[in-house]
Amino acid sequence: MSETITVNLKIWRQEGPNTKGSFEKYTQQITTEASFLEMIDLLNEELNNQGLEPVAIESDCREGICGTCGVMINGQAHGPRKATTTCQLHMREFSDGDEIVIEPFRAVSFPVIRDLVVDRSPFDQIIESGGYISVNTGAASDANLTPVPKEAADQAFDAAACIGCGACVAACPNSAAQLFTSAKLAHMASLPQGQAERWKRTESMVGTMEEFFGSCTNHGECHEACPKEINLDFIAFMNRDYMKAKVKNRALSGQR
Amino acid sequence: MTQTTTERYRVKPIRQSRREWPFPLNLYQTAVGRKWVMALTGIGLLGFVLIHMIGNLHVYEGPAKMHEYAESLRNLGSGILPRSLILWLLRLGLMVMFALHLHSAITLKEMSRKSSLNASFQGGEKKYEGGREYIAANYASRTMRWTGPIIALFLFYHLADLTWGWWLGDDFVPGDPYHNLYSSLSRIPVAIFYVVANMALAWHIFHGAWSMFQSLGINNPKYNHLRKGFAASFAGLILLGNLSFPIMTQANLIDEDERLCQVNDLASNDEILACLTKQLEDH
Ligand code: HEM
Ligand code: SF4
Ligand code: FES
């Protein structure tokens, strides 16, 4: 059942990283079958027609897997629907006459590039500092050459679901990046292929994370905001591994 | 890979890692390590709060038993060590734990604040224009940095009140905790203050005693569901025990009417203590 609703938008506009931004108000008519980004597309088309600057918002896959589209919608990262990215959100979540406040993810290390687009490259720096894992290249090895326990594979898969969208940082009252970092760490640390560099990787990725982000106080807001519902257990896993990494005698790291 | 990316514009870190201190001090330089310290000192403080509460239940056995309990604390280990030495070591340990807990709490909070400065900041918290409905963060977790200082202030008041006797004046009898407790808590404003402060403590423990498991990486799906229950019961137990003292005093269940060694009848503090000791021996 589609219907057409009118929403009152309050959108953060900011010309560049160094200019001051402010909220602008728009009204938009939209069918409830449209996605949230389609609603913004229509708004932008109208702005274009009027010779005004369209609202800058990032998106790529529009199917919830690339992690570029995150914005705060009414104070919630990726909007009101649980386990859903902004691009997967539909206008049927809203009612006629609703005010929708759209603003960029906030954290000092996520500087605004323009309007709703923020620079999430500190996440890339965390990943970079993780370095490499030792797998042989060349012809693909036999599929079942390295046995992986089912549970470990499941856990690694759960962690690997993180799309690096930054909602966890945005939702966190401390702007801490623990959920993202711990998901990336657990992804590797759960698998046999990730063992060789496990302790070094944990130390350096946590180190880089702390250069950019705040300190976790276990509120749990990140998990609620996360479109992939990454579990808080990974944060505990990271805290444990980090301490082990610091205490470990690397020459003995074969002895787990 | 790195060669292609170093040329690019990069977001600058808001803090640079400093020269590393020798192990294990370097753990305190990192936020995750510091959180470990906060959790470990938190456990120490939890232990203290629990023992302190249980020990004080001796007050329900009357002035003489309470006096005996206080003496036994001073006499810990006195067979081989000088009297009060162990007590002072415990006190020192507590002070160190308290100082570390406070320092790590304050500095980590500051780190979080510095990481969120470009958001509008209200009441020390990151806010969004579109309002902010917390989903997981509860009232206790968001008020740790208020309940903490309330506890610290209360602790200072409490020591000045019942350890140093600043506010009881001549009514303060060192070595007679029953009398001091009664004199202090029978004043209504003081009783109210004790109730409020202990509610803050329970709030703090309600989040802290769960949070510490995560900070220390104590996480096992088999037991995880017990962690919040543990925190709630611990907080409840402490609250129940500690609130009983001001409430029972106000309800006249702790009072001095039938006391054998009446403070006003006896001339000096020594006489009072001698009377209490005699009462114990008579039993
Ligand atoms: C006897 C008193 C206290 C006890 C039993 C206690 C206990 C705890 C525990 C168990 C934690 C959890 C640690 C963790 O998350 O890893 C904690 C956290 C904390 N404490 Fe205390 N604490 C006490 C006093 C204080 C005081 C005086 C302050 C003053 C500032 C304070 C501030 C904090 C803060 C800010 C946290 C971090 C909260 C969080 O991570 O969510 N605490 N406390
Ligand atoms: S942990 Fe979740 S919220 Fe954080 S970056 Fe990954 S997918 Fe996004
Ligand atoms: S556009 Fe790719 S996750 Fe939303």
Side-chain angles (χ1 to χ4, degrees):
Chain A
M1 271 293 289
S2 80
E3 57 176 311
T4 302
I5 57 171
T6 306
V7 286
N8 301 310
L9 304 173
K10 198 171 156 195
I11 303 181
W12 182 259
R13 303 301 309 260
Q14 182 175 343
E15 265 182 37
N18 301 319
T19 48
K20 252 178 91 79
S22 59
F23 281 97
E24 292 284 338
K25 290 191 170 166
Y26 308 92
T27 37
Q28 182 65 37
Q29 276 205 341
I30 189 76
T31 151
T32 49
E33 279 182 352
S35 80
F36 191 83
L37 291 182
E38 282 164 344
M39 185 270 293
I40 304 266
D41 290 341
L42 286 177
L43 171 73
N44 279 341
E45 213 166 286
E46 276 166 37
L47 289 177
N48 244 340
N49 291 343
Q50 294 165 23
L52 297 171
E53 193 64 40
V55 177
I57 183 167
E58 210 176 350
S59 75
D60 186 17
C61 69
R62 298 214 174 185
E63 58 177 15
I65 56 170
C66 73
T68 54
C69 59
V71 290
M72 289 309 263
I73 302 167
N74 286 342
Q76 282 184 285
H78 293 294
R81 202 181 151 87
K82 217 173 142 44
T84 306
T85 53
T86 305
C87 59
Q88 297 281 82
L89 186 69
H90 283 76
M91 293 311 292
R92 51 176 110 66
E93 300 292 327
F94 301 94
S95 332
D96 197 33
D98 274 3
E99 181 181 68
I100 308 178
V101 185
I102 312 171
E103 52 200 315
F105 282 176
R106 293 289 188 198
V108 170
S109 295
F110 282 174
V112 172
I113 298 173
R114 189 184 185 103
D115 297 342
L116 302 172
V117 182
V118 298
D119 187 343
R120 281 174 287 108
S121 67
F123 272 11
D124 300 339
Q125 297 192 39
I126 295 176
I127 299 283
E128 276 168 34
S129 68
Y132 51 85
I133 60 161
S134 300
V135 283
N136 295 329
T137 53
S141 60
D142 192 34
N144 290 326
L145 191 62
T146 314
V148 182
K150 171 83 167 69
E151 293 75 10
D154 286 349
Q155 173 169 300
F157 196 79
D158 286 348
C162 166
I163 55 177
C165 64
C168 42
V169 173
C172 176
N174 302 307
S175 299
Q178 248 81 355
L179 197 64
F180 166 79
T181 313
S182 68
K184 297 303 170 199
L185 282 168
H187 172 189
M188 294 295 157
S190 306
L191 295 172
Q193 291 91 336
Q195 297 311 311
E197 294 83 13
R198 176 173 180 177
W199 311 111
K200 200 171 142 216
R201 180 172 54 240
T202 306
E203 264 197 84
S204 53
M205 283 175 73
V206 171
T208 308
M209 170 186 85
E210 290 182 357
E211 287 175 12
F212 287 100
F213 297 102
S215 169
C216 175
T217 58
N218 301 317
H219 285 301
E221 284 295 320
C222 50
H223 169 69
E224 296 299 328
C226 176
K228 300 298 155 185
E229 303 192 288
I230 301 290
N231 206 297
L232 293 178
D233 295 350
F234 291 129
I235 297 182
F237 186 25
M238 176 179 81
N239 291 342
R240 191 169 62 227
D241 255 23
Y242 185 70
M243 193 50 69
K244 276 194 195 161
K246 284 280 186 194
V247 176
K248 203 118 190 140
N249 174 356
R250 293 268 164 64
L252 298 179
S253 60
Q255 312 176 353
R256 234 175 312 146
Chain B
M1 265 298 277
T2 30
Q3 268 178 347
T4 52
T5 49
T6 42
E7 297 299 320
R8 200 186 66 207
Y9 161 79
R10 320 189 100 201
V11 176
K12 297 253 175 342
I14 39 184
R15 56 190 82 82
Q16 217 81 49
S17 32
R18 283 164 301 164
R19 202 167 58 88
E20 207 171 311
W21 296 337
F23 183 83
L25 295 178
N26 62 348
L27 297 176
Y28 200 69
Q29 284 179 299
T30 70
V32 172
R34 199 168 283 193
K35 203 67 215 263
W36 270 70
V37 173
M38 196 195 292
L40 291 175
T41 53
I43 291 178
L45 294 172
L46 284 178
F48 163 73
V49 169
L50 182 67
I51 293 170
H52 186 71
M53 186 276 281
I54 294 177
N56 285 346
L57 293 177
H58 282 289
V59 79
Y60 294 113
E61 294 179 321
K65 284 282 190 198
M66 190 67 185
H67 169 69
E68 186 188 24
Y69 165 62
E71 282 301 296
S72 71
L73 286 182
R74 293 195 177 83
N75 287 332
L76 276 178
S78 63
I80 23 175
L81 296 167
R83 187 176 132 92
S84 289
L85 179 69
I86 295 278
L87 183 65
W88 269 107
L89 287 179
L90 286 174
R91 282 175 174 165
L92 190 72
L94 263 182
M95 283 189 268
V96 170
M97 285 196 293
F98 207 77
L100 281 174
H101 190 80
L102 233 103
H103 183 259
S104 52
I106 293 169
T107 50
L108 289 179
K109 193 72 218 169
E110 181 58 12
M111 173 174 170
S112 295
R113 197 183 65 83
K114 286 226 174 83
S115 311
S116 320
L117 282 179
N118 67 345
S120 65
F121 233 70
Q122 289 157 23
E125 266 186 63
K126 184 160 111 181
K127 289 273 157 58
Y128 285 95
E129 187 73 17
R132 190 68 225 267
E133 276 176 40
Y134 288 97
I135 307 166
N138 55 31
Y139 200 68
S141 77
R142 285 184 289 123
T143 49
M144 290 303 267
R145 62 181 187 290
W146 302 120
T147 50
I150 293 175
I151 300 168
L153 280 179
F154 167 71
L155 186 79
F156 174 77
Y157 178 89
H158 179 57
L159 283 175
D161 185 25
L162 293 180
T163 306
W164 307 318
W166 287 3
W167 287 293
L168 287 176
D170 287 345
D171 212 14
F172 183 72
V173 185
D176 186 359
Y178 188 101
H179 172 73
N180 297 333
L181 186 142
Y182 171 76
S183 316
S184 179
L185 291 183
S186 53
R187 296 167 297 175
I188 286 179
V190 177
I192 292 176
F193 181 45
Y194 269 75
V195 169
V196 171
N198 276 295
M199 275 154 66
L201 177 63
W203 257 146
H204 195 85
I205 293 175
F206 178 72
H207 178 68
W210 172 78
S211 174
M212 66 190 189
F213 288 109
Q214 283 288 104
S215 304
L216 299 175
I218 302 175
N219 182 299
N220 178 337
K222 273 189 203 144
Y223 309 119
N224 279 355
H225 61 286
L226 300 174
R227 298 185 301 179
K228 288 211 161 145
F230 167 80
S233 338
F234 202 106
L237 188 71
I238 299 290
L239 188 68
L240 206 71
N242 279 351
L243 285 197
S244 78
F245 304 119
I247 291 176
M248 289 306 174
T249 309
Q250 287 299 324
N252 284 337
L253 278 156
I254 297 174
D255 69 10
E256 302 210 295
D257 298 346
E258 283 154 39
R259 205 181 140 122
L260 289 177
C261 311
Q262 282 292 344
V263 169
N264 291 339
D265 301 344
L266 296 158
S268 73
N269 288 345
D270 288 346
E271 269 182 80
I272 299 169
L273 298 189
C275 171
L276 286 170
T277 315
K278 188 161 171 301
Q279 191 187 333
L280 274 173
E281 280 161 4
D282 291 348
H283 259 284

